């Protein structure tokens, strides 16, 4: 009977459509076949961090047989964009690594869970209160800092020694740094370092060395077009002299160590954060060393200790308890800390830091020693950057492209940037 | 439209004439079979389009609820945003470079393959393969590696990396599209095979050489196919994204030289979190593509020759 057939089709078609919709809609909170809780954990980083993280996660799964953690990672730029899209769609991963620059936006957008709700499984008593506060917005603990990091001049120490140029000492100024880069370029026949003009982070260090800051306390711009012109004139001159990387190399930077001139064997030094600098070891087999960032001409230090990254839990997670357990494990577990080392910065749990500190090996020890050499010498970190800053990092690099390709003068580009930044911070 | 818009429930309505009943039932069945498509089109196409149109009149940062701003996104785009106009110019340049090059290459290869006696299938597949692979990110990344400094082209020609030179990067992006000429080629090939051999024989008898035959027989007879390819490839070129994204590492660089329209749209939406602005850009693109297509159709009257109206 045709009628019967139609009803049958109707039912199966409806069922099919429903299945498709359900499959599409089920976000976090899913459980695996065996009744296991499935957590999604995402982060950015390099292959070195990936290996350590996988190992730590395996240990967590062993301790919590009812939980299955699926991880994914990518480079910083790609991660930032993907996470923003996921978060906007209400599909943020259960546990996510966050940057200082993301906390404000994500917290105010309702993406993050109030971690105080999970106090019973997530301990924060052994974290320095000042550091812990960096994960707070409006007095709510949205994220836990995972490590302490600082910027560094990371360099191919063998090549540097061979060139006969004196190695960087305990401290140096920007003009001493520039002279060293010129000397290196002369002796090695290739740029001394990555052109720091493209890096908002390097600019911040330079700016702080002159007693200024990127942002004012009320979230406005803390510097003028004149300041930025001076910085870009300085780096532009070095690039023209061949002391730092040419535009063709600088434009390839995407936040991964693999695409830096140092990582590609085309320069002797780079400016980077200390934790990801471990990634250079695989690319510069003769070894890299860490030197402090240059200070202002009067010796004012520009670099600072920054919470290197945070862990946050999605407000939409179906398993807040298990997610908090994973965060607790990554931050407070002794065994996990041993595996993770200093790959995400020096541990924030003070007991663990004291215990693990002397046991740190290889590059982790290098990072720990480097940070210890700066302890007590640096100024306080700035407050968390305002929301609009997220887009401005890219704008900074793009506007400097115009300078390094000689399409704009440093002044034109600086004025461009300040206009764009003001518009971005207002909206 | 009115007959197809009858909802499935209509079959339960009392039939006016008993004779029409079976037809109505068949219509109901058709709706059941169509339902996945209708559902898909509504949920995945019409609804998002409506939302995007709404968002284009708002300020939306992905995190906080959209704020109605009226036409501000549109006025900002046209009057206050130099990068917007830069991206428009870049896209137009790209269309003007890529489309003619791609169609010319597709036609040349199709002509060569048409006369071929052996191995036609192999070459046809070989030339078509890039079009199958081309949309994928991996090929675009290979392209970036090839044209990068220290890459294959650099080593062979000593050009330096094209993707890192603002003057050449857009060309590198266009070449990736041109290389994927397989789809228009296959359509040209089909068109060429439709041209009756007698026309060539008659032309030869009249003393026309190969070149004359091409101009007087092939081009007019092929013009509908040429027109079809032109419209299709132009529409696609306006929406170019993947090659520009991959070749520039997602930034539209160096120095904004590969910042095509969709790249800037992506940058506004996903990097700078201005979804409202990005939506407005998308709607402007839709309108522009509509206008360009309409213009192409208008001009086609003077050069496209349809055999059926040949005696007009």
């Amino acid at each position: 009977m045709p009628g019967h057939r139609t009803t049958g089709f109707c039912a199966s078609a409806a069922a099919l459509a429903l299945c498709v919709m359900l499959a599409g809609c089920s976000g976090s909170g899913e459980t695996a076949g065996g009744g296991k809780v499935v957590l999604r954990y995402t982060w950015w980083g390099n292959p070195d961090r990936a290996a350590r993280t996988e190992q730590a996660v395996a240990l967590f799964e062993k301790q919590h047989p009812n939980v299955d953690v699926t991880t994914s990672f990518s480079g910083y730029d790609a991660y930032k964009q993907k996470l923003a899209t996921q978060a906007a769609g209400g599909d943020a991963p259960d546990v996510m690594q966050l940057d200082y620059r993301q906390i404000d936006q994500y917290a105010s957008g309702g993406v993050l869970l109030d971690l105080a709700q999970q106090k019973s499984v997530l301990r924060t008593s052994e974290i320095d209160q000042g550091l812990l506060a960096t994960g707070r917005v409006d007095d709510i603990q949205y994220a836990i800092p995972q490590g302490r990091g600082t910027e560094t001049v990371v360099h191919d120490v063998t090549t540097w020694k061979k060139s006969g140029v004196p190695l960087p000492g305990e401290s140096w100024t920007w003009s001493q740094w520039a002279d060293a880069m010129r000397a290196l370029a002369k002796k090695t026949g290739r740029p001394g370092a990555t052109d720091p003009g493209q890096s908002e982070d390097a600019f911040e260090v330079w700016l702080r060395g002159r007693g200024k800051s990127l942002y004012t306390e009320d979230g406005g711009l803390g510097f003028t077009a004149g300041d930025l012109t001076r910085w870009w004139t300085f780096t532009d001159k070095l690039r023209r002299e061949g002391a730092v990387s040419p535009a063709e190399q600088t434009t390839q930077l995407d936040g991964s160590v693999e695409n830096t001139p140092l990582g590609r064997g085309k320069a002797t030094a780079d400016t980077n954060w200390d934790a990801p600098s471990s990634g250079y070891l695989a690319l510069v087999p003769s070894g890299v060393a860490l030197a402090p960032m240059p200070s202002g001409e009067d010796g004012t230090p520009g670099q600072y200790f920054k919470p290197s990254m945070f862990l946050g839990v999605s407000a939409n997670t179906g398993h807040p308890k298990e997610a908090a357990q994973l965060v607790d494990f990554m931050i407070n577990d002794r065994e996990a800390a041993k595996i993770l080392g200093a790959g995400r910065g020096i541990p924030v749990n003070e007991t663990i830091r004291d215990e693990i500190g002397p046991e740190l090996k290889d590059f982790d020890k290098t990072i720990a020693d480097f940070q210890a050499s700066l302890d007590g010498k640096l100024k306080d970190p700035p407050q968390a950057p305002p929301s609009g800053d997220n887009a401005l990092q890219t704008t900074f690099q793009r506007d400097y492209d115009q300078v390094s390709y000689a399409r704009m003068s440093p002044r034109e580009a600086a004025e461009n940037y300040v206009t764009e930044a003001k518009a971005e911070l207002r909206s | 439209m009115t007959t197809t818009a009858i909802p499935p429930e209509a079959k339960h309505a009392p039939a006016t004439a008993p004779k029409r009943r079976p037809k109505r039932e068949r219509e109901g069945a058709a709706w059941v079979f169509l339902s996945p498509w209708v559902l898909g089109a509504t949920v995945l196409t019409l609804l998002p389009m409506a939302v995007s149109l709404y968002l284009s009149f708002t300020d939306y940062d992905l995190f906080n609820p959209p704020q109605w701003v009226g036409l501000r996104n549109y006025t900002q785009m046209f009057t206050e945003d130099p990068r917007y106009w830069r991206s428009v110019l870049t896209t137009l340049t790209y269309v003007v470079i890529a489309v003619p090059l791609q169609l010319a290459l597709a036609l040349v290869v199709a002509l060569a393959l048409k006369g071929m006696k052996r191995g036609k299938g192999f070459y046809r597949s070989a030339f078509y393969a890039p079009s199958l692979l081309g949309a994928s990110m991996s090929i675009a990344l290979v392209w970036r590696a090839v044209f990068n400094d220290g890459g294959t082209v650099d080593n062979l020609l000593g050009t330096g990396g094209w993707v890192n030179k603002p003057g050449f990067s857009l060309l590198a992006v266009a070449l990736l599209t041109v290389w994927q000429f397989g789809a228009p080629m296959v359509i040209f090939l089909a068109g060429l095979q439709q041209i009756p051999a007698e026309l060539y024989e008659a032309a030869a008898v009249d003393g026309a050489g190969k070149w004359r035959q091409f101009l007087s027989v092939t081009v007019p007879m092929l013009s509908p196919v040429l027109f079809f390819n032109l419209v299709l490839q132009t529409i696609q070129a306006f929406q170019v994204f993947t090659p520009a994204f991959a070749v520039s590492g997602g930034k539209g660089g160096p120095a904004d030289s590969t910042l095509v329209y969709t790249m800037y749209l992506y940058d506004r939406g996903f990097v700078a979190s201005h979804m409202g602005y990005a939506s407005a850009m998308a709607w402007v693109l839709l309108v522009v593509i509509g206008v360009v297509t309409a213009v192409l159709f208008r001009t086609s009257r003077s050069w496209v020759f349809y055999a059926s109206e040949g005696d007009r």
Side-chain angles (χ1 to χ4, degrees), chain A residues 186-198:
Chain A
K186 212 173 189 179
K187 289 277 162 52
T188 60
R190 50 182 209 189
T194 307
D195 186 345
Q198 47 77 36

Side-chain angles (χ1 to χ4, degrees), chain A residues 359-376:
Chain A
E359 291 177 32
L360 284 176
K361 288 191 300 271
D362 310 326
F363 204 74
D364 290 345
K365 186 165 165 31
T366 310
I367 295 174
D369 290 347
F370 173 63
Q371 290 202 2
S373 76
L374 295 168
D375 251 325

Side-chain angles (χ1 to χ4, degrees), chain B residues 4-305:
Chain B
T4 53
I6 296 168
E9 289 83 352
K11 70 174 180 185
H12 299 302
T16 43
K19 263 192 173 177
R20 290 189 61 190
R21 198 172 178 155
K23 195 186 167 197
R24 285 255 167 136
E25 258 182 25
R26 279 206 303 278
E27 228 169 57
W31 275 103
V32 171
F33 280 108
L34 274 173
S35 65
W37 185 87
V38 171
L39 201 73
T42 312
V43 175
L44 300 175
T45 308
L46 293 176
L47 209 68
M49 276 180 80
V51 171
S52 139
L53 184 60
Y54 162 71
L55 285 179
S56 78
F57 298 107
T58 66
D59 190 1
Y60 178 45
D61 70 351
L62 284 174
F63 294 95
N64 298 299
Q67 303 284 322
W68 186 265
V69 294
L71 286 171
R72 201 185 74 193
N73 287 329
Y74 292 94
T75 54
Q76 194 184 341
M77 188 184 308
F78 294 134
T79 59
E80 294 166 35
D81 189 350
R83 287 188 82 210
Y84 175 80
W85 290 108
R86 213 195 129 75
S87 77
V88 169
L89 190 68
T90 308
T91 309
L92 289 177
T93 314
Y94 170 82
V95 171
V96 169
I97 297 174
V99 175
L101 267 181
Q102 189 196 35
L103 291 184
L105 193 61
L107 184 56
V108 167
V109 174
L111 284 168
L113 286 183
K114 187 201 167 204
M116 193 177 260
K117 298 261 168 356
R118 294 175 59 202
K120 197 167 170 178
F122 169 77
Y123 283 106
R124 199 159 48 186
S125 319
F127 283 120
Y128 191 67
S131 298
L132 294 175
L133 300 167
S136 75
M137 198 68 185
S138 52
I139 291 292
L141 287 173
V142 169
W143 208 258
R144 176 179 165 78
V146 166
F147 285 99
N148 214 334
D149 70 329
T152 320
V153 170
D154 182 16
N155 289 337
L156 285 177
L157 305 173
T159 53
W162 275 10
V163 297
N164 308 311
K165 284 195 170 49
F168 288 91
S169 52
L170 192 64
L171 188 61
V173 173
L175 284 180
L176 179 52
T177 310
V178 174
W179 178 66
Q180 295 158 18
F181 61 82
M185 177 201 73
V186 167
I187 297 169
F188 275 138
L189 205 51
L192 286 173
Q193 280 159 349
Q194 294 297 314
I195 303 174
E198 303 93 78
L199 289 180
Y200 289 105
E201 285 158 14
V205 168
D206 287 346
K210 283 283 170 204
W211 180 242
R212 190 72 238 179
Q213 288 181 19
F214 174 74
L215 287 181
S216 302
V217 179
T218 311
V219 171
M221 292 303 286
L222 203 60
S223 60
V225 175
L226 193 62
F227 176 61
F228 174 79
N229 272 337
L230 179 68
V231 170
L232 219 61
Q233 297 308 320
T234 307
I235 292 175
Q236 272 182 20
F238 267 102
Q239 300 176 63
V240 61
F241 180 77
T242 316
F245 184 86
V247 166
S248 72
K251 294 201 192 91
D256 279 356
S257 59
T258 57
L259 190 79
V260 291
Y261 197 90
T262 50
M263 272 289 295
Y264 187 48
L265 192 156
Y266 173 84
D267 174 85
R268 290 295 88 194
F270 294 96
V271 181
S273 303
H274 295 309
M275 274 297 161
Y277 195 81
S279 297
M281 281 187 72
W283 279 90
V284 171
L285 180 63
L286 181 85
V287 170
V288 167
I289 289 178
V291 169
V292 168
T293 310
V295 168
L296 283 179
F297 267 92
R298 184 56 65 89
T299 60
S300 75
R301 287 179 196 167
S302 61
W303 63 272
V304 176
F305 168 81

Side-chain angles (χ1 to χ4, degrees), chain A residues 340-357:
Chain A
L340 293 168
R344 279 188 175 82
I346 300 299
V348 290
N349 181 311
E350 287 172 346
T351 319
I352 289 177
R353 190 193 300 167
D354 293 343
E355 262 180 34
I356 302 283

